[in-house]
Amino acid sequence: MDVASYQSRIYDTSGLDFAIIKITEGTSYTNPKWVAQRQTARDAGLVTGFYHFVRGGSMRAQADYFLSKINLVPGDFLVLDWEDPGVSNADKDAWIRYVQEQRPGHRVLLYCNVDFWLNRERTSFAGDGLWIAQYNGRPGRPSIHAPWLIHQYTSTPIDTNLAAFTSRAAMRAWATGTTQEDDMPTQKELYDGAWELDGHMAVPWGSDSNPTWKPKSVLVHIGQVARETRGRVKGLENAVAELAAQGAARDAVLERLAEGGGLDAAEVQAAAEAGAQAALDRLALALAADEEG
């Protein structure tokens, strides 16, 4: 769940694995209950995050104001709440990058709703993960194709969220920078396009749930997985470049076929998909070899 001054200092934590607490807004407002709300989360052993509601103005001043309020402990994560239309993409990116620099041992996320993500967001930058808000009552199924980390799916009776982790321990490992590799998707799961989390499709961006699948989706998610596996990326650049080339080659061949050629579109599409799978297989082997080395 996530809480602000609208909620009690002591709230029901039964069934929860994490809590995200509002601390500040702009450069003049501090949630008067946040310290007690943090203690409630700590007492329940929850993974704990803290957010700043950004307003127009100096991003550095707002970040410094936010960070000055809290002495962080390992595993605390930080969030920029982007809801004010007066805050630009450049401002959003600047706040996140500055906080990442100031608190390098902590994850820094972006929170926004689906409208902002689809219609205002232009840089595809969400720091260490996207917390997406869409009150659709379908936990883990927001209406976006981009990878997301947390889905705020209802505000009734309180803001409630699902995180794309298999357990509290997995989320805590991510927050402390010691991600459990068993909880990450395999290369085949990435290629197939989605994997399940407690019966829900955790990241529904792939071919099964997105008929407009493009190689870019795979590239974006490979980048996220590479970061989460602590830099074990030997051979990654070559494999990703090869995968991108597959898409470009497919488009070029299909264009030539439209003008008259020897193969039909279905045959070329099948060949391109086989090539993309081969590229991902080589990526998996490269990562495995690096781990053994």
Side-chain angles (χ1 to χ4, degrees):
M1 66 187 302
D2 56 281
V3 297
S5 60
Y6 305 105
Q7 283 77 45
S8 171
R9 289 174 168 81
I10 301 174
Y11 45 93
D12 184 9
T13 60
S14 57
L16 299 181
D17 291 308
F18 65 98
I20 309 175
I21 300 161
K22 178 177 182 177
I23 297 183
T24 53
E25 181 172 332
T27 56
S28 59
Y29 174 80
T30 301
N31 171 12
K33 301 178 183 177
W34 84 264
V35 173
Q37 289 171 336
R38 177 185 60 180
Q39 192 60 48
T40 297
R42 296 265 199 258
D43 290 345
L46 305 185
V47 180
T48 310
F50 304 93
Y51 73 89
H52 171 74
F53 192 107
V54 66
R55 294 294 189 183
S58 169
M59 294 298 104
R60 179 167 296 198
Q62 292 189 58
D64 287 339
Y65 180 69
F66 171 64
L67 295 173
S68 72
K69 301 296 179 180
I70 183 172
N71 292 319
L72 298 170
V73 301
D76 288 344
F77 63 94
L78 308 172
V79 183
L80 177 69
D81 184 340
W82 186 35
E83 301 181 53
D84 188 332
V87 177
S88 69
N89 279 259
D91 289 338
K92 176 260 295 182
D93 292 357
W95 191 98
I96 294 174
R97 294 190 191 282
Y98 179 71
V99 172
Q100 287 177 322
E101 293 172 359
Q102 296 300 307
R103 298 296 184 272
H106 299 271
R107 306 285 189 176
V108 185
L109 282 64
L110 170 69
Y111 169 94
C112 67
N113 60 38
V114 167
D115 175 68
F116 264 62
W117 183 255
L118 296 180
N119 300 315
R120 294 180 182 273
E121 215 292 327
R122 294 292 180 268
T123 65
S124 298
F125 181 64
D128 295 307
L130 174 62
W131 175 14
I132 190 72
Q134 184 182 30
Y135 301 150
N136 58 4
R138 302 193 307 157
R141 295 177 180 268
S143 300
I144 61 172
H145 298 315
W148 54 270
L149 196 66
I150 302 173
H151 176 204
Q152 185 184 77
Y153 61 88
T154 185
S155 60
T156 305
I158 192 172
D159 289 346
T160 310
N161 308 266
L162 175 73
F165 298 95
T166 57
S167 66
R168 181 188 302 186
M171 188 174 190
R172 191 179 305 282
W174 161 82
T176 56
T178 57
T179 302
Q180 299 174 356
E181 295 172 12
D182 289 344
D183 295 312
M184 298 305 298
T186 66
Q187 296 301 319
K188 183 178 186 305
E189 288 170 331
L190 286 176
Y191 182 77
D192 290 342
W195 68 93
E196 290 193 2
L197 172 67
D198 296 334
H200 300 289
M201 300 307 292
V203 184
W205 54 266
S207 56
D208 289 340
S209 56
N210 177 9
T212 60
W213 175 85
K214 296 179 181 178
K216 180 181 177 182
S217 300
V218 179
L219 297 177
V220 169
H221 213 78
I222 287 174
Q224 180 180 359
V225 172
R227 288 192 297 274
E228 295 299 332
T229 52
R230 300 185 299 276
R232 296 185 296 107
V233 293
K234 183 182 292 184
L236 176 62
E237 294 180 354
N238 290 338
V240 170
E242 183 174 353
L243 178 57
Q246 290 291 340
R250 180 199 63 194
D251 293 341
V253 172
L254 288 174
E255 182 177 351
R256 289 198 298 273
L257 283 172
E259 302 172 354
L263 297 176
D264 62 38
E267 290 172 324
V268 175
Q269 180 69 31
E273 290 177 353
Q277 177 65 72
L280 284 173
D281 290 342
R282 284 189 287 277
L283 171 59
L285 290 173
L287 291 174
D290 186 62
E291 182 178 17
E292 292 174 359

